[in-house]
Amino acid sequence: MISEGSFDTEDWSNDAENSALHHRNKLHFKMYSNRKHPISGPYGAQMAGPQMAGPQSGAFPGGFPGGPAQMAGPPQKKLDPDSIPSTTHVIEDDQAKRGGQVYVTNIRGQVPPLVTTDFTVQDQGNASPRFMRCTTYSFPSTADLAKQCKVPLAAIIKPFATVPKNETPLYIVNHGETGPIRCNRCKAYMCPYMQFMDGGRRYQCGFCSCVNEVPVQYFQHLDHMGRRMDLYERPELSLGSYEFIATLDYCKNNKPPNPPAYIFMIDVSYNNIKSGLVKLICEELKTLLDRLPQEEGAETSPIKVGFVTYNKILHFYNVKSALAQPQMMVVSDVAEMFVPLLDGFLVNFQESRAVVNNLLDQIPDMFADTNESETVFAPVIQAGVEALKAAECSGKLFIFHSSIPTAEAPGKLKNRDDRKLVGTEKEKTLFQPLRGVYEQLTKDCVAQGCCVDLFLFPNQYVDIATVGDVPSHTGGSIYKYSNFQVEVNGQQFVSDLRRDVEKSIGFDAIMRVRTGTGFRATDFFGAVYMNNTTDVEMAAVDCDKAVTVEFKHDDTLSEESGAVMQCALLYTTIGGQRRLRIHNLSLNCSSQLSELYKSCETDALINFFAKSAYRAMLNQPLKTVREILVNQTAHMLACYRKHCASPSAASQLILPDAMKVFPVYMNSLLKTPTLVGSTELSTDDRAFHRLLVNAMGVEETQVLLYPRLIPLHTMDVSSDAIPAPVRCSEERLSESGIFLLENGLSMFLWLGQACPPDLIQNLFNVPSLGHLSSEGQMSLPVLDNAHSRKIHSIISSISQQRATSMKLLIVKQKDRSEMLFRQHLVEDKGLHGGASYMDFLCYVHREIRQLLT
C-alpha cells in the first residue's frame, strides 16, 4: 500500500464542491497526480468470454439500465461535466510540461511525452518513441501480478516511422563480409545491452545471458569502467536504433535482390470511365512517375514500372523504350493467369517516358465507349505476382477498383451483405474474409514480397472484408472513395495517391521481436502475415504501418536487470540493398503494481485494446467483445483502487493519474462503427474501419478515438499557432461559433446558426450563412484576407500531420449533414447506440464497486 502522504492528491473540482457532489451523487472523483505514464496485463487469451458476470454486465452497450440513477443515494442532480477528467487538459498539460524539449533516451523505463506533444528525440541507447511505445514502461515482475492487474503488456512498433528533419537519421553500420555480430545462442544483434568482459575478449548477451567470444576483427580494449574504448564511435554500442548492411546470407538464394517494381492496375469498367476516374489516374501518373522514391543522393529512382488495365479480361502493355507506340496484349483466360510478355512490361520510366506517356494518353480513349460493367479481381493480383516473379523482384501493386468482382473467374464474389445478421451470433461472418483463392494469393504475395495497395471507388457493397484481405496481410493500404466524383473526391484521391507512391518504404520484410529472459512476444497485430509464431512477414513496410506486439511472462523478471526487447527488421531498400533495421528498448520491472500504473500510457493501451478487440470480433459475438472490454476496464481500475490507492469512501471513483482519461477512449472505442453494431451502418464501412485500425500506430488511434475540436471564431489571426482544442462534446459548441473537427480520417467545418456575417463574408465571400447552399456540397474558397489565410494554414498544417488526405465537409448547424459531424462528438451519447462519457464513467464505477465487494 502507498500511504496517502506520498501522493499529491488533487481533486477535479475544489473541495467544497466535491463534498457537495459526494453527498448528492454518491459519486465523487478523486485522482492521484503522480506525474508519469503507461501500463500492462494479459488480454488476447482471455477473449474466451466475460470474466465478470455482474448483474449489469450484459446491459452495457446500447444504453444502461436506467443510467447513473441506479446508483445508491437520493435522486440524481446532473453531474458537472467539468468535474470529470478531460483529455484536452491532459494533452495541454503534457505539452506545457514537456513540449519543445529534448527527450534523451538514456534512462531505462522512462515514460516518453504523449504522442500529441511536440518534442525532439536524442537517441542515447533506447529506441525513440517514434519507433516504439509501450502500454507500460514498468513491467510487473511476475505473471501473477500481471494477471492480477489485467493491464496488457504490449509494444506498438513503427519500424519505418518518419524521423523529423531536426533529428539524426539512422546510422548505417557495415561489418563487411562477416556481417552483423550476433549472440550465438539467441541470435540477438549487437546492441547497448551487451556486457563486455575479460578485457574485451568476450561479451555476455543482455537477452539470454550467454557468454560469447568477441570476433578478432571486432576486438577493442575496455576502459577502467569496463566499457569499450570505441563505445561512442559505434552506433550499435551506443544507440537504440541503427541499421546493418546485410550480407548475402540474408538474401533469397544467397544473391543480392533486384530493385522493386511498381505496377499500376486500372479497372476500366463502365463506372470508372464514366466518372472520369480513369482519365484522372492517367493524367496524374504522368507527373507522379517522376516522383518515385529514390535513394539518398541518387539522381533517378531505380524502381521499374508496369501497366495493366482490366475489366472481365486483362490487358498488359509493352512500353519498351525502343517502341514508337505501346503494344497491348490481352489475356482473356483469367482462370489460368500468366503474363504474356517479359521484356518491355517492367521498364525504367526515365528511359521509356515517351512510350509510357503515349500509353497514358491513349487509355481513356481506348475504353471511352465501353459498356462492360463486370470485373475480375483475384486474377489481377495473380497477374501482378507473376510479373514480379518473372522479374525476380519484390514490389507493389496499385489497384484502382470499383465494384464487387462478379465476372466468372477465380475469386468471384457475391453480395453477402445481410444486415439481418447485425446483433446476432452470426454478425461476425460479415467481417470474415472468404478464404480459398484469397488466402492462397496472400501467401503467394508474401513469398514474392508483393505488397498490394487498393484504391476503392464503390457505389455499393464491394465486400471489403474479402477484397481488403490481401492488402491487409501484405503491408498494404486500403483507400475508399464512395460514390466517386472527380470534382468532389478527386483532389483527396490524388493527394492520397501521391503520398502513397512517394512515401519511404522497405520490401520483402521479415521482423522478429526478441526479449530478455522471463517474458516473450506472444501475439502480433498489424498488416502482417504470420507463417509461424515468431516471424512477422510483411511484403512491404512503410512509414505509417505499426505492429502491436503483446508480451507474456514465462518466468519471473529481475527488478535489477529490467525487461529488454529488440526488434530486428530485415528488408530490401528501394535501391535493392538488403538491410537490417534494429530498434532496442529497455523497461523497468517492479513487484509494486503502483510502479506499473504510474508508468502506463493510455494512448498505447487503447491502441492495443482496439486491435485485439477488432481481431476477437472475427470469432465472437460483438456483445461478448464489448463486455470483455468493459470488464477489463473495470478490472484494471479496481486493481489500482485495491492495491495502490489510499483508503477512501466506496463512493469515490479513483483513477491512476496516467490512466485518468482511459475511460473516455474506451467508451469511444465501444462506439466506433465497427463495434457499435447498428443496422444503419454500412457493412463495408465497418469492415474498412476495422482493417484501417489494424495497421495504425499510437498517434493515429489517439486522434481517431478522441478527435480534435478546434474553435476558429475566437482565433488570433496574427498568431502561427493552431487554437487549443476543446472537449469533444456538443456542450462546447456555440451557435455563434465556427469549429473545425478532425480525426485523421475525416475533417468537418461546423458553422453555428448565429455565426457573425463578417466572418462568413471573410471565409466564403457571401454576405451571410443563409447564402450558403446546404447539404455538405460547399467548398472553402481561398480568399485574400487574414481569416481565410489563417484557416487554410490551420487545415494545411493538420493535413501534413496525417497519414491520409481528409476531404473537408462543411456542415451548418441543424442541417441534415450535421449528423455525420455529430457522430464524432465522442463525449456525447452515440448516434447509433453507446453511452455518453459521463454515463460510461458511472457505469464503470458501479462495476468497480461490485468487484471490490
Side-chain angles (χ1 to χ4, degrees), residues 36 96 200 204 248 288 324 329 337 343 385 389 428 475 486 500 503 522 537 551 576 691 767 769 781 785 812 826:
K36 267 196 174 172
Q204 182 172 31
L248 288 179
L288 199 48
M329 296 191 171
M337 189 35 70
D343 189 29
V385 179
K389 238 183 231 167
K428 57 181 181 244
V486 171
D500 199 77
K503 66 184 169 188
T522 55
E537 297 184 65
F551 301 102
L691 295 176
L769 195 60
N785 65 66
K812 294 201 288 192
V826 296

PDB file of all heavy atoms in Angstrom, residues 36 96 200 204 248 288 324 329 337 343 385 389 428 475 486 500 503 522 537 551 576 691 767 769 781 785 812 826:
ATOM      1  N   LYS A  36       3.664  10.582 -14.111  1.00  0.00           N
ATOM      2  CA  LYS A  36       4.387   9.691 -15.031  1.00  0.00           C
ATOM      3  C   LYS A  36       3.312   8.966 -15.798  1.00  0.00           C
ATOM      4  O   LYS A  36       2.164   9.107 -15.492  1.00  0.00           O
ATOM      5  CB  LYS A  36       5.229   8.706 -14.228  1.00  0.00           C
ATOM      6  CG  LYS A  36       6.650   9.195 -13.995  1.00  0.00           C
ATOM      7  CD  LYS A  36       7.513   8.037 -13.548  1.00  0.00           C
ATOM      8  CE  LYS A  36       8.949   8.457 -13.443  1.00  0.00           C
ATOM      9  NZ  LYS A  36       9.759   7.416 -12.834  1.00  0.00           N
ATOM     10  N   ALA A  96       2.581  21.557 -22.121  1.00  0.00           N
ATOM     11  CA  ALA A  96       3.160  22.639 -21.316  1.00  0.00           C
ATOM     12  C   ALA A  96       4.401  22.154 -20.569  1.00  0.00           C
ATOM     13  O   ALA A  96       5.408  22.859 -20.479  1.00  0.00           O
ATOM     14  CB  ALA A  96       2.116  23.164 -20.325  1.00  0.00           C
ATOM     15  N   GLY A 200      37.696  -7.443 -22.803  1.00  0.00           N
ATOM     16  CA  GLY A 200      37.134  -7.127 -24.123  1.00  0.00           C
ATOM     17  C   GLY A 200      37.125  -8.318 -25.056  1.00  0.00           C
ATOM     18  O   GLY A 200      36.702  -8.206 -26.207  1.00  0.00           O
ATOM     19  N   GLN A 204      28.743 -10.779 -22.630  1.00  0.00           N
ATOM     20  CA  GLN A 204      27.561 -11.516 -22.161  1.00  0.00           C
ATOM     21  C   GLN A 204      26.330 -10.893 -22.803  1.00  0.00           C
ATOM     22  O   GLN A 204      26.146  -9.671 -22.770  1.00  0.00           O
ATOM     23  CB  GLN A 204      27.453 -11.449 -20.639  1.00  0.00           C
ATOM     24  CG  GLN A 204      26.250 -12.255 -20.139  1.00  0.00           C
ATOM     25  CD  GLN A 204      26.233 -12.373 -18.624  1.00  0.00           C
ATOM     26  OE1 GLN A 204      26.692 -11.482 -17.917  1.00  0.00           O
ATOM     27  NE2 GLN A 204      25.696 -13.473 -18.118  1.00  0.00           N
ATOM     28  N   LEU A 248      25.120 -11.596 -47.982  1.00  0.00           N
ATOM     29  CA  LEU A 248      24.351 -12.456 -48.890  1.00  0.00           C
ATOM     30  C   LEU A 248      23.595 -13.564 -48.149  1.00  0.00           C
ATOM     31  O   LEU A 248      22.589 -14.071 -48.641  1.00  0.00           O
ATOM     32  CB  LEU A 248      25.277 -13.059 -49.954  1.00  0.00           C
ATOM     33  CG  LEU A 248      25.770 -12.064 -51.006  1.00  0.00           C
ATOM     34  CD1 LEU A 248      26.692 -12.741 -52.002  1.00  0.00           C
ATOM     35  CD2 LEU A 248      24.612 -11.394 -51.736  1.00  0.00           C
ATOM     36  N   LEU A 288       3.454  11.979 -61.656  1.00  0.00           N
ATOM     37  CA  LEU A 288       3.809  11.214 -60.456  1.00  0.00           C
ATOM     38  C   LEU A 288       4.992  10.281 -60.685  1.00  0.00           C
ATOM     39  O   LEU A 288       5.800  10.050 -59.791  1.00  0.00           O
ATOM     40  CB  LEU A 288       2.579  10.414 -60.003  1.00  0.00           C
ATOM     41  CG  LEU A 288       2.569   9.900 -58.574  1.00  0.00           C
ATOM     42  CD1 LEU A 288       2.955  10.996 -57.594  1.00  0.00           C
ATOM     43  CD2 LEU A 288       1.205   9.349 -58.225  1.00  0.00           C
ATOM     44  N   ALA A 324       7.859   2.716 -80.944  1.00  0.00           N
ATOM     45  CA  ALA A 324       7.271   4.018 -81.280  1.00  0.00           C
ATOM     46  C   ALA A 324       5.924   4.158 -80.590  1.00  0.00           C
ATOM     47  O   ALA A 324       5.522   5.247 -80.159  1.00  0.00           O
ATOM     48  CB  ALA A 324       7.107   4.136 -82.787  1.00  0.00           C
ATOM     49  N   MET A 329      -1.362  -6.415 -75.011  1.00  0.00           N
ATOM     50  CA  MET A 329      -1.534  -7.863 -75.113  1.00  0.00           C
ATOM     51  C   MET A 329      -2.659  -8.265 -74.172  1.00  0.00           C
ATOM     52  O   MET A 329      -2.665  -7.885 -73.013  1.00  0.00           O
ATOM     53  CB  MET A 329      -0.255  -8.576 -74.713  1.00  0.00           C
ATOM     54  CG  MET A 329       0.886  -8.250 -75.651  1.00  0.00           C
ATOM     55  SD  MET A 329       2.251  -9.322 -75.348  1.00  0.00           S
ATOM     56  CE  MET A 329       3.283  -8.897 -76.716  1.00  0.00           C
ATOM     57  N   MET A 337      -4.025 -17.593 -65.095  1.00  0.00           N
ATOM     58  CA  MET A 337      -3.387 -16.296 -65.306  1.00  0.00           C
ATOM     59  C   MET A 337      -1.893 -16.439 -65.598  1.00  0.00           C
ATOM     60  O   MET A 337      -1.184 -17.146 -64.918  1.00  0.00           O
ATOM     61  CB  MET A 337      -3.608 -15.440 -64.056  1.00  0.00           C
ATOM     62  CG  MET A 337      -3.199 -13.982 -64.166  1.00  0.00           C
ATOM     63  SD  MET A 337      -3.458 -13.205 -65.762  1.00  0.00           S
ATOM     64  CE  MET A 337      -5.200 -13.101 -65.844  1.00  0.00           C
ATOM     65  N   ASP A 343       9.916  -9.063 -71.565  1.00  0.00           N
ATOM     66  CA  ASP A 343      10.699  -7.906 -71.963  1.00  0.00           C
ATOM     67  C   ASP A 343       9.758  -6.763 -72.344  1.00  0.00           C
ATOM     68  O   ASP A 343       8.908  -6.920 -73.218  1.00  0.00           O
ATOM     69  CB  ASP A 343      11.570  -8.313 -73.166  1.00  0.00           C
ATOM     70  CG  ASP A 343      12.554  -7.221 -73.486  1.00  0.00           C
ATOM     71  OD1 ASP A 343      12.935  -6.500 -72.544  1.00  0.00           O
ATOM     72  OD2 ASP A 343      12.932  -7.077 -74.664  1.00  0.00           O
ATOM     73  N   VAL A 385       1.639 -10.646 -59.168  1.00  0.00           N
ATOM     74  CA  VAL A 385       2.617 -11.524 -58.507  1.00  0.00           C
ATOM     75  C   VAL A 385       3.452 -12.257 -59.560  1.00  0.00           C
ATOM     76  O   VAL A 385       4.681 -12.350 -59.436  1.00  0.00           O
ATOM     77  CB  VAL A 385       1.905 -12.563 -57.592  1.00  0.00           C
ATOM     78  CG1 VAL A 385       2.928 -13.475 -56.936  1.00  0.00           C
ATOM     79  CG2 VAL A 385       1.082 -11.870 -56.533  1.00  0.00           C
ATOM     80  N   LYS A 389       7.450 -12.193 -60.063  1.00  0.00           N
ATOM     81  CA  LYS A 389       8.180 -13.475 -60.023  1.00  0.00           C
ATOM     82  C   LYS A 389       9.102 -13.575 -61.238  1.00  0.00           C
ATOM     83  O   LYS A 389      10.284 -13.894 -61.118  1.00  0.00           O
ATOM     84  CB  LYS A 389       7.177 -14.628 -60.056  1.00  0.00           C
ATOM     85  CG  LYS A 389       7.272 -15.560 -58.865  1.00  0.00           C
ATOM     86  CD  LYS A 389       6.295 -16.719 -59.001  1.00  0.00           C
ATOM     87  CE  LYS A 389       5.474 -16.826 -57.714  1.00  0.00           C
ATOM     88  NZ  LYS A 389       4.328 -17.695 -57.832  1.00  0.00           N
ATOM     89  N   LYS A 428     -20.474 -11.857 -36.901  1.00  0.00           N
ATOM     90  CA  LYS A 428     -19.024 -11.937 -37.158  1.00  0.00           C
ATOM     91  C   LYS A 428     -18.714 -12.399 -38.577  1.00  0.00           C
ATOM     92  O   LYS A 428     -17.689 -12.021 -39.138  1.00  0.00           O
ATOM     93  CB  LYS A 428     -18.361 -12.857 -36.131  1.00  0.00           C
ATOM     94  CG  LYS A 428     -18.940 -14.259 -36.081  1.00  0.00           C
ATOM     95  CD  LYS A 428     -18.258 -15.125 -35.018  1.00  0.00           C
ATOM     96  CE  LYS A 428     -18.827 -16.526 -35.002  1.00  0.00           C
ATOM     97  NZ  LYS A 428     -19.498 -16.846 -33.748  1.00  0.00           N
ATOM     98  N   GLY A 475       1.174  -5.739 -45.828  1.00  0.00           N
ATOM     99  CA  GLY A 475       1.721  -4.418 -45.520  1.00  0.00           C
ATOM    100  C   GLY A 475       1.153  -3.332 -46.418  1.00  0.00           C
ATOM    101  O   GLY A 475       1.710  -2.247 -46.540  1.00  0.00           O
ATOM    102  N   VAL A 486     -15.154  13.254 -59.685  1.00  0.00           N
ATOM    103  CA  VAL A 486     -13.866  13.946 -59.810  1.00  0.00           C
ATOM    104  C   VAL A 486     -13.870  15.285 -59.062  1.00  0.00           C
ATOM    105  O   VAL A 486     -12.939  15.602 -58.327  1.00  0.00           O
ATOM    106  CB  VAL A 486     -13.496  14.154 -61.295  1.00  0.00           C
ATOM    107  CG1 VAL A 486     -12.267  15.064 -61.430  1.00  0.00           C
ATOM    108  CG2 VAL A 486     -13.212  12.810 -61.956  1.00  0.00           C
ATOM    109  N   ASP A 500       1.146   7.998 -51.357  1.00  0.00           N
ATOM    110  CA  ASP A 500       1.336   6.549 -51.353  1.00  0.00           C
ATOM    111  C   ASP A 500       2.513   6.140 -52.246  1.00  0.00           C
ATOM    112  O   ASP A 500       3.284   5.251 -51.914  1.00  0.00           O
ATOM    113  CB  ASP A 500       0.047   5.867 -51.829  1.00  0.00           C
ATOM    114  CG  ASP A 500       0.004   4.411 -51.427  1.00  0.00           C
ATOM    115  OD1 ASP A 500      -0.266   4.131 -50.253  1.00  0.00           O
ATOM    116  OD2 ASP A 500       0.278   3.545 -52.275  1.00  0.00           O
ATOM    117  N   LYS A 503       6.029   7.709 -50.548  1.00  0.00           N
ATOM    118  CA  LYS A 503       6.489   7.513 -49.159  1.00  0.00           C
ATOM    119  C   LYS A 503       7.621   6.510 -49.012  1.00  0.00           C
ATOM    120  O   LYS A 503       7.790   5.612 -49.837  1.00  0.00           O
ATOM    121  CB  LYS A 503       5.310   7.158 -48.245  1.00  0.00           C
ATOM    122  CG  LYS A 503       4.634   5.850 -48.475  1.00  0.00           C
ATOM    123  CD  LYS A 503       3.439   5.778 -47.509  1.00  0.00           C
ATOM    124  CE  LYS A 503       2.517   4.625 -47.822  1.00  0.00           C
ATOM    125  NZ  LYS A 503       1.303   4.692 -47.013  1.00  0.00           N
ATOM    126  N   THR A 522       4.054 -12.868 -27.671  1.00  0.00           N
ATOM    127  CA  THR A 522       3.123 -13.978 -27.922  1.00  0.00           C
ATOM    128  C   THR A 522       2.112 -13.685 -29.018  1.00  0.00           C
ATOM    129  O   THR A 522       1.536 -14.595 -29.590  1.00  0.00           O
ATOM    130  CB  THR A 522       2.322 -14.306 -26.647  1.00  0.00           C
ATOM    131  OG1 THR A 522       1.677 -13.101 -26.217  1.00  0.00           O
ATOM    132  CG2 THR A 522       3.218 -14.821 -25.541  1.00  0.00           C
ATOM    133  N   GLU A 537       5.962 -11.462 -41.134  1.00  0.00           N
ATOM    134  CA  GLU A 537       6.340 -11.217 -42.530  1.00  0.00           C
ATOM    135  C   GLU A 537       5.501 -10.088 -43.119  1.00  0.00           C
ATOM    136  O   GLU A 537       4.291 -10.037 -42.932  1.00  0.00           O
ATOM    137  CB  GLU A 537       6.151 -12.493 -43.365  1.00  0.00           C
ATOM    138  CG  GLU A 537       7.062 -13.627 -42.899  1.00  0.00           C
ATOM    139  CD  GLU A 537       6.933 -14.847 -43.792  1.00  0.00           C
ATOM    140  OE1 GLU A 537       7.303 -14.738 -44.975  1.00  0.00           O
ATOM    141  OE2 GLU A 537       6.460 -15.890 -43.305  1.00  0.00           O
ATOM    142  N   PHE A 551       3.115  -9.138 -24.966  1.00  0.00           N
ATOM    143  CA  PHE A 551       4.098  -9.959 -24.253  1.00  0.00           C
ATOM    144  C   PHE A 551       3.442 -10.704 -23.103  1.00  0.00           C
ATOM    145  O   PHE A 551       2.494 -10.211 -22.497  1.00  0.00           O
ATOM    146  CB  PHE A 551       5.219  -9.076 -23.684  1.00  0.00           C
ATOM    147  CG  PHE A 551       5.948  -8.285 -24.730  1.00  0.00           C
ATOM    148  CD1 PHE A 551       5.684  -6.931 -24.911  1.00  0.00           C
ATOM    149  CD2 PHE A 551       6.886  -8.889 -25.554  1.00  0.00           C
ATOM    150  CE1 PHE A 551       6.346  -6.195 -25.890  1.00  0.00           C
ATOM    151  CE2 PHE A 551       7.552  -8.164 -26.538  1.00  0.00           C
ATOM    152  CZ  PHE A 551       7.283  -6.815 -26.705  1.00  0.00           C
ATOM    153  N   GLY A 576      17.526  -1.843 -53.811  1.00  0.00           N
ATOM    154  CA  GLY A 576      17.840  -3.260 -53.933  1.00  0.00           C
ATOM    155  C   GLY A 576      18.952  -3.707 -52.989  1.00  0.00           C
ATOM    156  O   GLY A 576      19.626  -4.700 -53.235  1.00  0.00           O
ATOM    157  N   LEU A 691     -10.087  -2.756 -40.788  1.00  0.00           N
ATOM    158  CA  LEU A 691      -8.796  -3.010 -41.428  1.00  0.00           C
ATOM    159  C   LEU A 691      -7.841  -1.820 -41.274  1.00  0.00           C
ATOM    160  O   LEU A 691      -6.638  -1.998 -41.116  1.00  0.00           O
ATOM    161  CB  LEU A 691      -8.993  -3.345 -42.916  1.00  0.00           C
ATOM    162  CG  LEU A 691      -9.754  -4.666 -43.183  1.00  0.00           C
ATOM    163  CD1 LEU A 691      -9.991  -4.851 -44.674  1.00  0.00           C
ATOM    164  CD2 LEU A 691      -9.028  -5.876 -42.603  1.00  0.00           C
ATOM    165  N   PRO A 767     -22.604  37.160 -48.145  1.00  0.00           N
ATOM    166  CA  PRO A 767     -22.951  38.080 -47.049  1.00  0.00           C
ATOM    167  C   PRO A 767     -23.438  37.403 -45.750  1.00  0.00           C
ATOM    168  O   PRO A 767     -23.288  37.972 -44.683  1.00  0.00           O
ATOM    169  CB  PRO A 767     -24.047  38.959 -47.642  1.00  0.00           C
ATOM    170  CG  PRO A 767     -24.478  38.304 -48.897  1.00  0.00           C
ATOM    171  CD  PRO A 767     -23.403  37.396 -49.352  1.00  0.00           C
ATOM    172  N   LEU A 769     -24.854  33.410 -43.624  1.00  0.00           N
ATOM    173  CA  LEU A 769     -24.955  31.952 -43.620  1.00  0.00           C
ATOM    174  C   LEU A 769     -26.059  31.472 -44.568  1.00  0.00           C
ATOM    175  O   LEU A 769     -25.920  30.443 -45.236  1.00  0.00           O
ATOM    176  CB  LEU A 769     -25.246  31.491 -42.188  1.00  0.00           C
ATOM    177  CG  LEU A 769     -25.041  30.017 -41.886  1.00  0.00           C
ATOM    178  CD1 LEU A 769     -23.602  29.613 -42.144  1.00  0.00           C
ATOM    179  CD2 LEU A 769     -25.387  29.710 -40.432  1.00  0.00           C
ATOM    180  N   PRO A 781     -13.461  28.570 -50.250  1.00  0.00           N
ATOM    181  CA  PRO A 781     -12.617  29.244 -51.241  1.00  0.00           C
ATOM    182  C   PRO A 781     -11.348  29.818 -50.595  1.00  0.00           C
ATOM    183  O   PRO A 781     -11.310  30.024 -49.387  1.00  0.00           O
ATOM    184  CB  PRO A 781     -13.525  30.372 -51.756  1.00  0.00           C
ATOM    185  CG  PRO A 781     -14.491  30.629 -50.652  1.00  0.00           C
ATOM    186  CD  PRO A 781     -14.689  29.319 -49.936  1.00  0.00           C
ATOM    187  N   ASN A 785      -7.802  37.460 -47.399  1.00  0.00           N
ATOM    188  CA  ASN A 785      -7.961  38.197 -46.133  1.00  0.00           C
ATOM    189  C   ASN A 785      -7.369  37.353 -44.999  1.00  0.00           C
ATOM    190  O   ASN A 785      -7.150  36.152 -45.162  1.00  0.00           O
ATOM    191  CB  ASN A 785      -9.438  38.539 -45.873  1.00  0.00           C
ATOM    192  CG  ASN A 785     -10.290  37.296 -45.669  1.00  0.00           C
ATOM    193  OD1 ASN A 785     -10.125  36.553 -44.689  1.00  0.00           O
ATOM    194  ND2 ASN A 785     -11.201  37.046 -46.609  1.00  0.00           N
ATOM    195  N   LYS A 812     -23.704  22.972 -41.711  1.00  0.00           N
ATOM    196  CA  LYS A 812     -24.356  24.050 -40.975  1.00  0.00           C
ATOM    197  C   LYS A 812     -25.156  23.442 -39.821  1.00  0.00           C
ATOM    198  O   LYS A 812     -25.734  22.355 -39.963  1.00  0.00           O
ATOM    199  CB  LYS A 812     -25.308  24.810 -41.908  1.00  0.00           C
ATOM    200  CG  LYS A 812     -24.574  25.551 -43.012  1.00  0.00           C
ATOM    201  CD  LYS A 812     -25.394  26.679 -43.608  1.00  0.00           C
ATOM    202  CE  LYS A 812     -26.543  26.202 -44.483  1.00  0.00           C
ATOM    203  NZ  LYS A 812     -27.125  27.300 -45.264  1.00  0.00           N
ATOM    204  N   VAL A 826     -17.348  12.479 -29.299  1.00  0.00           N
ATOM    205  CA  VAL A 826     -17.276  11.193 -28.591  1.00  0.00           C
ATOM    206  C   VAL A 826     -17.649  11.258 -27.112  1.00  0.00           C
ATOM    207  O   VAL A 826     -17.847  10.222 -26.481  1.00  0.00           O
ATOM    208  CB  VAL A 826     -15.883  10.540 -28.745  1.00  0.00           C
ATOM    209  CG1 VAL A 826     -15.618  10.192 -30.201  1.00  0.00           C
ATOM    210  CG2 VAL A 826     -14.786  11.439 -28.195  1.00  0.00           C
TER     211      VAL A 826
END
